[in-house]
Each structure stands twice: as C-alpha cells, then as structure tokens.
Amino acid sequence: MGRENHGADLPSLSHEEILRYSRHLLIPEVGLEGQKKLKAASVLIVGMGGLGSPVAMYLAAAGVGRIGLVDYDVVDESNLQRQIIHGTSRLGQRKVLSARDRILDINPHIRVEIYDEPFTSANAMDIARDYDVIVDGTDNFPTRYLVNDLSVLLGKPYVYGSIFRFDGQVSVFDARRGPCYRCIFPEPPPPWSVPSCAEGGVLGVLPGTIGTLQATETIKLILGIGEPLIGKLLLYNALEMSFEVVQLRKNPRCKICGENPEITGLIDYEEFCGVPGHDRETVTLDERWEIGAKELAERLRNGERIRLIDVREPHELEISRIPGAQNIPLGDFASRMSELDSSEEIVLFCKSGTRSARALELLLSAGFRRVKHLKGGINAWAREVDPSLPVY
C-alpha cells in the first residue's frame, strides 16, 4: 500500500514534526518519504479496549495522519487493568472521547475522528470507506466477520488480533494478496462455546503485546516495508514466552473472496454467529426466566426451598460466594445436569449473568421449567444485597 504513494503527492512536514519524528527519519526504510506516507495515511480502529489502546497510542505517536476510533462503551473500573489508553480520571466517560484526548495529547499533529456508535452492517461501509487500513480491536466473532467481509468488499487490509488469558494471535488478512479470515474460519464456533475475556480473563499485559504487534503490521503496510503477516498467523503464548508462525492458504471456495463468491454485501453477523456483536457481559433473555437479587434474597429469607447453582469456575469462589450454593462450572454443566431434579426450584448464577443464561438454556432444552437465573449475577447480589462481597 505504501508503495502506491509518490513523493510529489505526499504532505510536507513542519520543522516541529521533523524534530518529533527524527528517530524515524534516521531509519533508511522510513526516512523523510516514509514519514510523509504515515502522515498521509488513515487507519480505522474498531474497539477502544485492550487491543485498541496500544494500537491507537503507537499509531498516533508514529505520526499516522488520520485515525478513526469506533466504540460505544464507557470506561469502567474493570477496564483499567489492561486498557491503558484510559485512566481513573476517565471513569464513566465515553471511551472514544477518553481515547481521543489521550492520543491527541501524545501527538497534536494528527486528526482523530470518533464514532460513538455500534459498528454494524448498517454503518460499517460509510465509516470505513475512506480509511486505508482497518484494525479490529474488539475480539468478538460478529465484529470479526464483519470487519473481514468489509475489508474484502472495499479492497483494504484487515489487521487482526485476538487475545485470551495468556494466548494471542496476530495476522493481516488482505484478499488481494492472500487469504481472508473466512478462508481460515469459514464458519463461526458454536454460540457461546468460546468464552470472552470478560468471562475467562486476560493477563493485563497481553493486549499490550498483541496490540503493539498489530500497530507494527499497520505501519509496515503503510510504508510498504518488510514482510507483513499476509498468509501467516502468529501465535503467542506469554507463559512460555513463545512465538510461532503458521502458514495460511487462500481457499478458492471461500464464500467472499473465492473464485465464485456467494457473499456480495454485508450480512447480519449477530445472526450468523449466534452471539451479540459486542464484548459486554450481558445476555438478554425472556424476563420470566430471570430473578432479581433483591427478590431472590427476600424469598430465601422467607424460607422458600430454592436450589442455588453457581456455574462459575472453582477459583472464582475465592473472590465471592453465596452461602449454600452448589458449584457446577458451566463447562461441566451438560454432563452434570443429571444431578439436578426438575421438580425442584432452581436458580442459576455466575459473575454477571452471561454463563448462567447459557446454563439456563441447557436446562430449558432438557425440559426443566422451574428454573431461573440471577439477573446481573453475583455482582448484582454484591451491589444490592450483600455489600460485604466485592464486585469483580
């Protein structure tokens, strides 16, 4: 991409910018022309969380002239362990506003455009059309397929990153020069089979490692230098401190970039993946299958016989627990449903309601009807019933 820019068409650098980027200018592979390419370039970052934080900050510091930020969430205390673009003083603020202020403080010579809205099939084309590179920092499957298809249809490179606990992945999908994401993963995993970082956790420094690698690949694409991870998937494990590169091949039968594409426009990606297109910890169910923390506490105080089932992982019980609850982790739930009696009244709970909603669906499909799940999970219990418990 960088090779398509010609010196005569590139913007000039002020004396202040030359001083700011002097360490770049000393690198032969970057130099003055390369820095001008960075200034002329535009990058759209979808998601201003753990991955989007280092991507945005390093691209801003590097002098990428126009950066677009997409997110519709607010800064929460649980974000601060890894989303380093935000600070304690920004709690409750819109993430795009917090991120814009931070990167303009890093580099006031760039332009930042914000999109405080969900990134969907309805608006993605209009938002992304004028950007050179699209970076996905959301780490959920509907957005991943959306960004991939969007990139193929617009003929733009897609810089991919994924994180979970201690593991990360990075690649560059560019259907013009190699495989796209659908070539490797034609179908999404079964709904709810892959836990999110909010459910399974993530080492705080991991998105810094993976996001910095994404920023590196983006800069290489803009400059047209080195060997980008096109046709390659980089696998990183923080515990082993290991890097492995897997070769990827283009699928001639790919539904969007193959020889006879079936997908010619953006589709409903939440329906395609069977899960919501965001990273939040909520699942919406029919209200008749939910019970609030205060109502549950009142019924327990009245002596009603209710069997409490905690579907969190055993190590989470060290953080908080509700007395009398039985622990059946969600991963074991299908094989242990025989331990439950459908004649009993059962209330399921987890951290925030996501995993318990999935366990509820399993019970409903097995014919259970006297079952509910605790809306908001044990965190809601801590907020509304027992403030001695921590929220996590």
Side-chain angles (χ1 to χ4, degrees):
M1 183 186 68
R3 296 184 180 93
E4 297 171 1
N5 292 318
H6 302 287
D9 303 322
L10 295 172
S12 60
L13 301 180
S14 67
H15 287 186
E16 187 177 352
E17 288 174 302
I18 288 175
L19 176 60
R20 174 180 287 266
Y21 306 125
S22 61
R23 300 304 187 271
H24 270 175
L25 305 184
L26 295 171
I27 304 173
E29 291 82 358
V30 182
L32 187 62
E33 183 176 353
Q35 193 62 50
K36 290 179 179 179
K37 289 180 181 179
L38 289 169
K39 185 174 182 178
S42 58
V43 177
L44 181 68
I45 306 169
V46 184
M48 288 317 305
L51 293 172
S53 291
V55 173
M57 290 194 291
Y58 272 108
L59 293 185
V64 172
R66 178 170 162 254
I67 298 176
L69 310 176
V70 185
D71 206 306
Y72 66 107
D73 204 355
V74 298
V75 180
D76 179 81
E77 201 155 12
S78 66
N79 301 150
L80 302 181
Q81 163 255 15
R82 66 202 176 281
Q83 300 181 16
I84 58 170
I85 202 166
H86 311 296
T88 303
S89 64
R90 301 294 187 175
L91 288 173
Q93 189 174 18
R94 308 303 298 182
K95 283 187 176 179
V96 288
L97 297 175
S98 169
R100 180 183 63 184
D101 290 349
R102 179 72 182 98
I103 64 177
L104 285 176
D105 183 49
I106 291 173
N107 190 349
H109 299 281
I110 64 171
R111 285 173 52 199
V112 181
E113 298 180 3
I114 60 173
Y115 307 91
D116 188 7
E117 56 190 299
F119 195 63
T120 68
S121 301
N123 62 10
M125 280 282 185
D126 290 336
I127 291 175
R129 194 183 310 276
D130 295 330
Y131 289 90
D132 300 323
V133 182
I134 305 173
V135 182
D136 180 15
T138 59
D139 207 29
N140 68 71
F141 287 101
T143 306
R144 194 168 293 160
Y145 281 97
L146 167 58
V147 171
N148 177 78
D149 294 358
L150 176 70
S151 301
V152 173
L153 295 172
L154 292 177
K156 299 178 187 296
Y158 157 32
V159 181
Y160 157 80
S162 176
I163 52 173
F164 182 69
R165 290 185 174 166
F166 299 98
D167 294 294
Q169 300 179 356
V170 185
S171 189
V172 175
F173 295 110
D174 188 341
R176 300 167 299 179
R177 293 191 278 168
C180 78
Y181 182 79
R182 277 188 188 269
C183 290
I184 315 307
F185 304 104
E187 300 292 335
W192 312 116
S193 63
V194 180
S196 69
C197 292
E199 298 164 340
V202 60
L203 185 69
V205 298
L206 178 65
T209 304
I210 299 303
T212 303
L213 291 170
Q214 288 180 279
T216 303
E217 289 300 296
T218 303
I219 291 171
K220 285 162 58 182
L221 290 170
I222 293 169
L223 296 176
I225 61 174
E227 293 295 329
L229 287 171
I230 295 174
K232 302 173 187 176
L233 179 65
L234 185 148
L235 307 174
Y236 170 69
N237 179 272
L239 286 180
E240 300 173 358
M241 193 49 69
S242 63
F243 290 86
E244 182 181 355
V245 176
V246 177
Q247 299 295 320
L248 307 176
R249 292 185 178 180
K250 195 172 182 70
N251 180 4
R253 295 184 297 278
C254 177
K255 291 184 178 181
I256 192 163
C257 78
E259 296 169 359
N260 298 294
E262 299 176 20
I263 300 172
T264 56
L266 300 180
I267 63 174
D268 184 334
Y269 293 91
E270 292 191 348
E271 180 181 356
F272 175 64
C273 296
V275 294
H278 53 68
D279 303 322
R280 296 178 182 175
E281 302 175 70
T282 57
V283 171
T284 302
L285 286 176
D286 191 313
E287 290 183 359
R288 61 182 166 159
W289 305 117
E290 296 180 336
I291 186 170
K294 290 182 179 179
E295 180 186 350
L296 176 60
E298 181 65 23
R299 292 181 62 183
L300 290 172
R301 278 194 295 268
N302 291 337
E304 294 188 38
R305 293 176 62 84
I306 298 174
R307 188 169 181 182
L308 298 177
I309 304 296
D310 185 340
V311 300
R312 296 177 298 160
E313 293 300 307
H315 65 267
E316 292 179 79
L317 304 182
E318 300 175 12
I319 304 170
S320 61
R321 63 173 70 203
I322 298 177
Q326 178 186 356
N327 181 225
I328 304 179
L330 180 62
D332 302 334
F333 202 81
S335 62
R336 294 180 60 184
M337 281 196 297
S338 59
E339 299 177 21
L340 303 177
D341 185 343
S342 61
S343 67
E344 293 182 294
E345 185 163 6
I346 297 170
V347 172
L348 308 158
F349 70 91
C350 62
K351 172 191 169 186
S352 60
T354 303
R355 284 170 284 178
S356 59
R358 297 175 201 168
L360 176 71
E361 290 174 340
L362 289 173
L363 288 182
L364 292 176
S365 66
F368 285 73
R369 286 298 176 266
R370 298 190 67 197
V371 59
K372 294 180 184 291
H373 87 118
L374 178 57
K375 185 176 182 180
I378 197 169
N379 279 347
W381 183 271
R383 291 187 181 101
E384 300 173 25
V385 177
D386 186 358
S388 70
L389 297 179
V391 173
Y392 71 105

